[in-house]
Amino acid sequence: MVKRVLCCLLLLVMMVSALGEDAPPVLVDRINAPEVHADFAFAEDAPLLEVIFPQILNCDAAFLRCGGETMLVDCATQGQAVRIINMCKQLGITHIDRVVNTHPHEDHIGGLRDLLKEITVGELWVCFPLDYNAHMINAVAVAERAGVPVKTFADGDVFTLGGATIEVWKLEGRANQLNNCSAQLLVTYGERTLLMAADLQDEGQRQMAELHGEQLDADILKYPHHGIEALRAEYRAAVSPLFLVVTNNHRQTAGWKAIQRGDIPFAYTVPGFVCAFTDGVTWLTHRIPSEIKY
């Protein structure tokens, strides 16, 4: 009887081991470890969620495409909107279904005017009052002049992009806490997740970890606030990211030092375009070289 039980346990261990060997990877990182899973490729007909970050510095913008639908989360500063436009031209993107603004700071919404001169946009989505500050008022006026409808979204909203689901978390606070009130977007496609943390700072990270805990768990984290500050311990533990995307240059801030010393693979949004594609089972990260150097 004991021998039979031992044999069954051995067989179970062998089966689990075999399944582990055959299981597809969660992350294939062609930016930092191109030799690992070098033969990995998505199935030729696999529908994908594509997330592409333009070559930007100290501001936010990310292009998402899934199931034929497109979205731009934030649109950089007025000065760096040209980098989004040039990326779109290089990749053949001429229309964006909706631009989603996480909060009305210049480095997240200032580029809208120039973007609308070159790219057609279906809708502008905002999550603050339309008269919240000068940046919001200007963006709404720009959208209206271009004939782009303005829609609002809020904490707890869930919307879709093709086959992807996007959940919104947004803290409330005083006007001088705008960064910590910026909308957090958890993007889910199949089994894979990406958290776009906008400009969340230390206190916001504490509140988010306290409110949502393990719900924050994400494979990829769009690092909050351009990597200026280090992640708060409880927030990092809740998110448990496998990969970081940092919309910043390499200034030696506390965040830069923590990222460099840390054990999580990362990519800064310079040079080229940082890409994260998934079929819902595996993330593939890589860079597309920009045809234009800045």
Side-chain angles (χ1 to χ4, degrees):
M1 179 68 179
V2 174
K3 184 180 288 185
R4 183 179 299 173
V5 171
L6 290 173
C7 286
C8 289
L9 287 172
L10 180 60
L11 180 61
L12 180 61
V13 170
M14 291 173 65
M15 290 174 63
V16 170
S17 177
L19 285 172
E21 290 176 2
D22 295 335
V26 172
L27 175 70
V28 175
D29 180 8
R30 294 270 164 79
I31 296 175
N32 298 292
E35 71 284 354
V36 179
H37 302 296
D39 59 347
F40 174 82
F42 293 120
E44 192 171 324
D45 59 347
L48 302 177
L49 164 66
E50 305 171 55
V51 186
I52 308 174
F53 295 86
Q55 184 171 271
I56 51 176
L57 296 169
N58 306 316
C59 54
D60 265 23
F63 174 79
L64 285 75
R65 178 164 50 196
C66 186
E69 297 181 10
T70 56
M71 180 171 80
L72 184 70
V73 177
D74 292 326
C75 49
T77 61
Q78 183 176 352
Q80 293 204 33
V82 66
R83 299 183 180 218
I84 305 173
I85 294 165
N86 288 338
M87 182 193 78
C88 288
K89 289 179 178 178
Q90 180 176 329
L91 301 181
I93 300 163
T94 59
H95 175 81
I96 296 171
D97 293 322
R98 57 182 178 255
V99 171
V100 176
N101 175 242
T102 61
H103 63 294
H105 270 160
E106 161 66 16
D107 57 333
H108 290 251
I109 202 169
L112 182 65
R113 186 186 68 179
D114 289 343
L115 180 75
L116 291 178
K117 293 177 182 177
E118 302 286 343
I119 306 294
T120 62
V121 171
E123 298 171 340
L124 171 65
W125 287 24
V126 299
C127 55
F128 286 81
L130 302 187
D131 60 352
Y132 185 83
N133 61 14
H135 299 305
M136 179 64 81
I137 292 170
N138 290 339
V140 169
V142 163
E144 289 177 345
R145 286 197 298 270
V148 176
V150 179
K151 297 190 175 183
T152 58
F153 66 103
D155 177 54
D157 284 354
V158 178
F159 55 95
T160 59
L161 180 76
T165 300
I166 301 172
E167 186 172 358
V168 180
W169 294 316
K170 182 179 178 300
L171 300 172
E172 296 298 327
R174 298 187 299 275
N176 63 352
Q177 298 175 328
L178 184 52
N179 282 344
N180 282 332
C181 298
S182 55
Q184 312 293 288
L185 305 178
L186 180 69
V187 184
T188 302
Y189 187 67
E191 301 171 23
R192 303 279 63 88
T193 50
L194 178 149
L195 179 59
M196 309 194 77
D199 273 2
L200 202 67
Q201 293 181 273
D202 185 78
E203 175 58 19
Q205 292 177 28
R206 184 195 68 77
Q207 291 185 50
M208 276 291 167
E210 185 177 283
L211 285 170
H212 296 288
E214 293 182 358
Q215 289 179 297
L216 295 170
D217 184 74
D219 309 315
I220 297 178
L221 173 66
K222 195 295 295 181
Y223 203 101
H225 201 209
H226 322 296
I228 296 172
E229 302 98 1
L231 295 178
R232 194 178 178 100
E234 58 266 45
Y235 179 82
R236 171 179 164 151
V239 180
S240 301
L242 303 176
F243 190 86
L244 307 172
V245 178
V246 190
T247 53
N248 196 354
N249 60 12
H250 297 264
R251 292 182 302 159
Q252 295 188 19
T253 61
W256 180 89
K257 293 174 183 177
I259 291 165
Q260 297 290 327
R261 291 195 303 262
D263 56 356
I264 305 174
F266 61 89
Y268 283 83
T269 50
V270 171
F273 317 137
V274 174
C275 304
F277 294 176
T278 183
D279 59 356
V281 177
T282 298
W283 280 108
L284 174 65
T285 62
H286 66 104
R287 283 190 192 272
I288 297 175
S290 172
E291 293 175 352
I292 298 176
K293 308 301 179 185
Y294 302 100

